[in-house]
Structures are given as C-alpha cells and as structure tokens.
Amino acid sequence: MLRCRPWSMLLVLVFCSWPGAFSLAQKAVPLTIEQRQTFDQELQTLQESLEALHDRPASDIADASIFSKGLQWALQYDQQFSPRDIALMKQAIVRGKQRIEALDANKKPWSTRKGKLALGYVSAVDNSVQPYGVIVPENYDPAQPIRLDVVLHGSTRPVGMSELRFIARFDEGDEKRSSAPDKPYIELHPLGRVENCYRWAGETDVFEAIEDVSHRYNIDRRRIVLRGMSMGASGTWHLGLKHPDFFVAIGPYCGYVDTHHFSETPLKNFVKVGPLPPHQELGLHMLDSIDYAANAGVVPAIACIGEKDVFFQAHVLMVKAMQQEGLTMVNLISPGTGHVIDPVTHAEQMRRIGLYVDKGLDRQPQQLRFVTWTLKYNRCHWLEVLGLQQHYAKAVIAAHLRDDEIDITELQNITRFAIDISRLSTVPQKLRIGKTELSLSPANTTRTRKIVIERKENVWSLADRKGKSPLTGKRPGLQGPIDDAFSSPFLCVRGTGQPWNAAVQAYSNASLKRFADEWQHYFRGELPIKNDTDVTDEDIRTRNLILFGDPGSNSLIAKVLPDLPLEWTREKLRLGNQEYPADKHVPALIAPNPLAGENRRYVVLNSGHTFREAELAKLNYLLFPRWGDWAVLQIDPSYTGSTPIKENVLHAGYFDEQWK
C-alpha cells in the first residue's frame, strides 16, 4: 500500500450523494394546483412535439427526450420540490423545446459542441430513454482517435428528480462556449439507472452508453479507462474485473468489494447481511468483485482510499485477495482523509493510469490467467469459457502461447472452452492440456478462426461443431439466474385466456403490477408488456419472454411447458421430486426459451427481479439474487388480488448445468 501526501484542499464527494444534491438542503414544498397544471401541460406539449419527430433518428430524439423524461419522472414520483428543483423542472421545459426546435430545423448544434453535454440513447433492454453526461475537451479532433474515461457516480437515493439533477451536472446549453477543459480524453458519465451499483440493467447501461458515445466520437477502443468513487468505485471493481479485456486500466477510489463484510460497516443505515440460505450465498459469487481479484493480472487496477475512510477494510480485503492470487495490489492511501477524493492522491492515480493508456490495451497477450464463477462473465481476450462443471464455484483457466504451441497451464471447473485464433499474434499448431496434446491442423485454425475444446469422459478433444456452443445446457447468455433476464431485451407477457386456478392468476396479475411499479421507479423505464395474443415471432426471436399466469391463462406458457424442467397440471405442479397442489402454489423459474431456437433467449415464469422494493429503496449491496434459477411460492388459495401480495417461498435454488 502506498501513501500519498495529504493536501489542504479536498474535493468532497459524500457517499450518498452526487454533486447537485444541494437542492435537498432547501425547503421542499408541494406544487400549487396552478404549478402542477402548468407542468403537466408543458410535459404534454413536449411529448407531442417529440412524437412529431418520428422520422428523425432515434438517437437524435433521445437527446431531446431526456428533458421530458426527467420532468415526467419528477412529477410522477416526487410530492415536494425545493426552489432549486422547480428551477430545474422549468429549465427542462426550456431545454427540451430548444432541442426539439433545432431538430425540427434539421440542426444539431450539440453534436459539435465542446465542454459538458447531456445526451441520451434508447436502451435495448426496455426501449427507454436513458441520459448520460459527456465532457469533450477543447482539443478534441474528430480525425484523431481519443481516449475515453468512463466515470461512475456515487450512491444517491432514487427519487423522481434523479434524472433532472443528474442532467444538470452536464447541461450547459448547446451553444459553443469556452468552458471546455484541456484534457487528453473524453469523459463519459453514465447514469447506470440511478442506484444499483451498476448491476443488472445498470451494468448494461454502462456498456450501452459507451457504444453510443463511440458512435458519436472517434473513440480509441484500446484506450478506454474505467474509474469512479464510492459506489462508482464498487462499480469499477465489479465491471473492470469481470470484463478484464475491455478496459486498458481501472481506477477505483474507495469502493466496496463484497457483501458480507461491507454490510458490517458501523453506519446507522446499514443492514447487516448475516448467513444466507445456501442458494443465496452461491449467488453472491456472481456479484462480489473480490472473487474476481485474479483478473487484476489482466487489467491493471490503480486503487485509492483515504486512511480514515470508514470503508477502508474493503481495500484491505482486496489486497489480501490479490495476494492469494500472486498479485500485488496498487493501493494509494491518502493520510488523514476520510471518504473523500484527495486531489494529490487522485492526481497520482491518474498519472499511473496514464502510463497504461500510453501503451494501449494489448489485445494479443502471450499469456492469460482468467477467473470466473459464472458464464455471464466468460471472456478474456482470446479465451472464452463455454461450459462449467458447476456454476458459482471458482473456475480458472490459464494459457501461454509459446511459438506455435498453446499450453493450458491451469484448468479448474471448466468443461468446455474456446480459443479465438483470430485474436492471436501467431497461428498455433499444437495445444497442450496437461499430458494431453492436440494437433491443430490448418483446417481447424483457418476455417473457423475459433477452436472449441471440450471434455467428455475425462478426455479433452476438439469439438466438431465449428466453434458453436452446444444447443443444450447452460452457456454464455443462457446461464441464469432469474434476475439476469432483465439485463438484456425482455418483454413481459400477460395471459388473456381462462386460468386453471383463480388465485394463481390473481397472484400473477399482482406480481406483474408490482414489477411494473418497481421497474419504472427504480430502473427508470416503462415495463414492456403485451398480451399473449399479441406476441410476434420477432418478439420471440429478439427478447426474453417473461410469462405471467398459468398454462390455462397464458398460451405461451402452455407452448413452452413441455420443454421446461417442470410438470404443471390443473391439480399439481412438480419440480424435481417435490410435488405441490396447483391451487395454492406458483412456480417461478428461468430457462432457455425453446421457441427462440438458437437465438439464446430466456423464458421466465411469474417473476420480475427477485429482490423487491424493500431492497431497492434501501442499499444497493442488497440487490443480490434471492431465488436463484427457480422457486416454489405458496399463496393463499382464496387470494383475489385485492390485498397486498403475500408469498411464502417454500423452496428455491439453481438448476444444474443441463437445466435440470
């Protein structure tokens, strides 16, 4: 651990707020009837004007829509507003109109503006508009590729005003000004769906924002940096170590790395996470970045923390985890400081990051050692893990390219993997796995450009499917748990037929409504919903289907049921060797959608996220999977949906690697 000298001037970033939260200190009051009517009318006008721009590119409309979307959420979820909030709402109306008028005149002045900008994109997850901030330096030349620094914000309680307060940090108007910084990089500030530690759709948001920025600016993909403070640092550990071939370096500043130890932080609002049911303990291996410490051997991590930071123990734990993997963690400690950014320490962090940026990302490393616990995170440069012996157990693969031979020096809990020949500096002729030597003929290495190796009956051999993943079993993109279905495009489907059991249908309807409310409030988008009779082949091909109801009410449940690891009749349902009366039990599960063929889409029964508003409204480290791949829920057979949902989880867990 290295100590950096303190400095008298500190840039203070409070753990639970962004800059801009100063408005919370001002007295907040309800809107008057006149104010409410005016805002509602202006919002309607903005939305109608945006609809009239339907022939413009979606990205252009998104840049204008971020203001009306922010105003809509503020009016829907907040009851009281400070003077600063009201000013931001009025400013959103002005700025929304300005961008709409510019687009209507076929102009887009913000596309060439330097300095701070607030932009937007349409998320593929739910077709919602999501805002992000960028800071373009004065010296940016579109003809020259430029470094991109992705900066993740700290924790903030999600409220209706969240978007408008976030946008206010970056929106300086669209006219050219002289406020642009003199830096050798563009900064991208994703919203991350506000508050989830960049998990689930929040994780997707970061990468979608990167792609949107890369379409607008000439980004050097070999020089993308990920950094952040507090929750942003936790997100940096999380995303950086699980996608170690994407970033040239990561810079976490004061961020947690696990669930259990972090939950024991002596703060009044913290909730201790004690021993959990076995399936929930396993699920933590998907999220806790400390389990992926070994991947810092691939992506350089330059960490910082204050000597008196209440979360100091988090970096101590990561130091030990890296030591166990044979690595030395760079941990710059600012003497005498708490949970703040010390400018001197931060400057040293940026200097060290710059050294890696100068070299650029090495896309053809000669040797790799990669660790994962799930096929959700399965790739590291030219290595891809395609099959595990057991999910949520540590999987390790280490490989070394020597001349014309690849030597697999370590292999643990992996049954199938691939080597992307096109990403290697030389074409290998041989592959060695322990005592097994496989010859790689020119046909193998030139026809597919990716060779797949699999273990059958304890013997390693080359797969004969030309690099394709198997059609059965857990595989990348189809590995669960239930919550993973909401990180990629999905569609909720309500049943319109005659239900087998009225109470089950009432529960399913209430569960869908609950999910819609939670998704809009906490994931900042309208939940995509269709009736089962309206689902198209395109929906099945491109989206995860989230089916609510039973085989009687939902025709799609009836269609997929024969291919699911579940028996379900009017009288009973069975998972594994357990049988339950069907009139007072509801199955919730995730599995590959048999209707989607090889398109790698999920089907989910009767569940949104398995964590609820109690966790979403509290602390982001509580957003871990509660049910795994499946659960059996006990309900009141007389339930009609007129009262709050009461569900008793009888059993929950994971399917095996063959979805059984």
Side-chain angles (χ1 to χ4, degrees):
M1 297 186 183
L2 303 178
R3 294 175 180 265
C4 294
R5 63 184 178 87
W7 199 30
S8 59
M9 296 294 291
L10 295 178
L11 173 60
V12 180
L13 291 181
V14 182
F15 176 69
C16 290
S17 66
W18 299 323
F22 54 80
S23 61
L24 297 176
Q26 299 176 341
K27 185 177 180 181
V29 297
L31 296 175
T32 65
I33 294 176
E34 292 77 12
Q35 286 176 317
R36 181 75 198 204
Q37 290 176 340
T38 299
F39 280 128
D40 285 341
Q41 185 175 15
E42 292 286 4
L43 175 59
Q44 182 178 350
T45 300
L46 286 175
Q47 292 173 335
E48 290 173 352
S49 298
L50 287 166
E51 290 176 3
L53 296 173
H54 58 83
D55 58 337
R56 296 285 305 188
S59 59
D60 290 355
I61 298 175
D63 289 342
S65 297
I66 58 174
F67 300 101
S68 61
K69 189 263 180 86
L71 180 59
Q72 178 185 347
W73 257 249
L75 292 172
Q76 182 165 348
Y77 288 105
D78 288 348
Q79 302 299 317
Q80 296 186 323
F81 302 86
S82 71
R84 174 62 176 169
D85 290 338
I86 293 175
L88 291 179
M89 294 162 72
K90 292 179 178 178
Q91 179 67 3
I93 295 169
V94 173
R95 294 290 293 119
K97 288 181 177 179
Q98 287 176 345
R99 286 198 170 171
I100 290 170
E101 290 170 359
L103 292 174
D104 197 42
N106 203 28
K107 297 179 180 178
K108 207 164 98 172
W110 57 91
S111 64
T112 57
R113 187 182 185 278
K114 307 293 180 64
K116 293 182 177 181
L117 297 96
L119 302 173
Y121 73 92
V122 178
S123 173
V125 174
D126 57 357
N127 289 322
S128 65
V129 171
Q130 297 297 324
Y132 63 86
V134 292
I135 304 177
V136 182
E138 186 62 42
N139 58 6
Y140 170 63
D141 178 0
Q144 300 296 323
I146 190 171
R147 161 183 166 183
L148 178 68
D149 278 30
V150 183
V151 185
L152 305 182
H153 66 74
S155 179
T156 177
R157 187 172 67 87
V159 296
M161 286 293 299
S162 290
E163 273 86 355
L164 293 185
R165 291 173 184 166
F166 176 80
I167 290 169
R169 296 171 54 197
F170 304 99
D171 184 43
E172 297 180 335
D174 296 328
E175 300 303 319
K176 294 182 178 179
R177 296 184 182 180
S178 58
S179 61
D182 183 19
K183 294 181 179 180
Y185 52 83
I186 289 177
E187 279 190 13
L188 162 63
H189 295 255
L191 177 61
R193 305 269 178 153
V194 181
E195 174 74 3
N196 48 60
C197 201
Y198 306 95
R199 300 172 174 181
W200 315 117
E203 176 173 345
T204 306
D205 179 78
V206 174
F207 290 102
E208 285 188 320
I210 290 173
E211 292 307 311
D212 196 74
V213 165
S214 297
H215 285 304
R216 298 174 190 256
Y217 302 97
N218 189 359
I219 300 301
D220 186 344
R221 297 264 186 176
R222 296 180 64 249
R223 295 190 293 152
I224 299 180
V225 174
L226 180 66
R227 53 188 175 89
M229 196 268 184
S230 193
M231 185 184 80
S234 302
T236 298
W237 285 122
H238 162 57
L239 300 181
L241 294 180
K242 295 168 190 175
H243 303 274
D245 60 353
F246 194 91
F247 304 100
V248 67
I250 62 174
Y253 203 122
C254 311
Y256 73 84
V257 297
D258 83 318
T259 301
H260 282 297
H261 287 94
F262 184 67
S263 75
E264 296 171 358
T265 304
L267 292 175
K268 290 183 179 180
N269 65 318
F270 269 44
V271 177
K272 182 178 179 180
V273 177
L276 297 169
H279 66 278
Q280 291 184 3
E281 290 287 355
L282 287 176
L284 295 182
H285 291 305
M286 182 183 186
L287 299 176
D288 286 355
S289 53
I290 194 170
D291 289 336
Y292 299 77
N295 296 338
V298 180
V299 57
I302 299 89
C304 301
I305 198 164
E307 181 183 37
K308 296 183 178 180
D309 195 320
V310 67
F311 308 118
F312 190 88
Q313 187 65 19
H315 282 214
V316 173
L317 292 172
M318 186 60 90
V319 167
K320 292 180 179 178
M322 288 193 188
Q323 287 175 342
Q324 292 173 357
E325 301 289 352
L327 303 173
T328 300
M329 175 174 155
V330 177
N331 194 31
L332 307 178
I333 300 175
S334 178
T337 64
H339 196 66
V340 297
I341 288 181
D342 166 29
V344 171
T345 306
H346 180 55
E348 175 61 14
Q349 180 188 44
M350 293 296 286
R351 185 191 72 81
R352 294 188 182 216
I353 288 174
L355 297 178
Y356 292 102
V357 171
D358 291 342
K359 297 177 183 177
L361 180 64
D362 181 6
R363 296 196 182 279
Q364 297 178 323
Q366 296 296 103
Q367 56 185 359
L368 290 170
R369 184 173 186 268
F370 175 62
V371 167
T372 189
W373 298 70
T374 166
L375 293 177
K376 181 177 176 67
Y377 306 112
N378 76 305
R379 184 174 130 182
C380 183
H381 290 294
W382 40 270
L383 287 177
E384 293 182 50
V385 180
L386 302 179
L388 298 179
Q389 184 174 341
Q390 179 183 347
H391 257 75
Y392 314 113
K394 186 177 182 180
V396 185
I397 184 169
H400 194 170
L401 175 62
R402 297 183 178 91
D403 298 325
D404 66 345
E405 177 179 308
I406 294 178
D407 190 8
I408 305 297
T409 58
E410 191 176 359
L411 205 55
Q412 174 183 326
N413 190 33
I414 293 173
T415 60
R416 186 177 174 93
F417 66 94
I419 297 173
D420 191 341
I421 301 299
S422 66
R423 292 173 173 262
L424 295 175
S425 57
T426 59
V427 178
Q429 303 300 312
K430 292 184 294 184
L431 174 67
R432 187 184 303 275
I433 308 173
K435 296 181 180 180
T436 301
E437 184 174 301
L438 303 175
S439 177
L440 305 178
S441 66
N444 292 129
T445 56
T446 59
R447 184 176 69 249
T448 66
R449 308 301 292 173
K450 183 184 292 186
I451 57 173
V452 176
I453 304 94
E454 59 187 2
R455 189 182 68 190
K456 292 183 177 180
E457 298 179 353
N458 292 322
V459 176
W460 289 100
S461 62
L462 298 178
D464 59 1
R465 300 194 68 254
K466 300 181 181 181
K468 293 183 179 180
S469 294
L471 298 180
T472 61
K474 291 187 175 181
R475 52 201 186 273
L478 284 178
Q479 77 289 312
I482 289 173
D483 301 277
D484 188 55
F486 313 109
S487 299
S488 56
F490 72 93
L491 174 67
C492 293
V493 182
R494 64 165 71 91
T496 58
Q498 182 64 37
W500 285 351
N501 291 286
V504 170
Q505 186 64 34
Y507 168 84
S508 297
N509 292 341
S511 181
L512 175 57
K513 182 181 184 304
R514 173 178 61 187
F515 184 35
D517 292 342
E518 291 174 351
W519 184 265
Q520 185 173 44
H521 190 174
Y522 297 102
F523 287 91
R524 322 304 284 193
E526 301 280 354
L527 193 72
I529 303 176
K530 279 188 176 183
N531 292 334
D532 58 346
T533 53
D534 296 328
V535 174
T536 66
D537 290 341
E538 178 74 3
D539 293 329
I540 294 172
R541 187 181 65 83
T542 61
R543 295 178 177 274
N544 303 323
L545 297 186
I546 320 302
L547 309 180
F548 290 85
D550 65 22
S553 67
N554 195 312
S555 59
L556 287 171
I557 294 180
K559 287 182 180 180
V560 301
L561 185 59
D563 294 289
L564 298 184
L566 165 74
E567 295 179 34
W568 196 357
T569 68
R570 293 176 182 270
E571 293 76 29
K572 66 181 181 180
L573 64 91
R574 175 189 290 272
L575 271 85
N577 57 7
Q578 295 288 325
E579 189 173 298
Y580 311 87
D583 63 337
K584 54 184 176 183
H585 294 88
V586 177
L589 61 79
I590 187 170
N593 184 356
L595 305 178
E598 294 189 44
N599 290 308
R600 298 194 183 189
R601 299 298 174 188
Y602 288 119
V603 61
V604 174
L605 299 187
N606 292 310
S607 180
H609 277 299
T610 61
F611 42 83
R612 303 289 192 234
E613 185 166 24
E615 292 79 43
L616 287 161
K618 196 169 292 182
L619 297 157
N620 57 68
Y621 65 81
L622 298 175
L623 306 185
F624 55 83
R626 302 302 168 120
W627 296 350
D629 293 337
W630 62 269
V632 176
L633 314 174
Q634 184 182 50
I635 63 170
D636 183 346
S638 63
Y639 182 70
T640 63
S642 59
T643 57
I645 296 178
K646 292 182 180 180
E647 58 194 9
N648 178 31
V649 182
L650 294 183
H651 299 99
Y654 293 95
F655 295 119
D656 65 17
E657 296 305 313
Q658 294 303 316
W659 288 106
K660 301 296 184 183

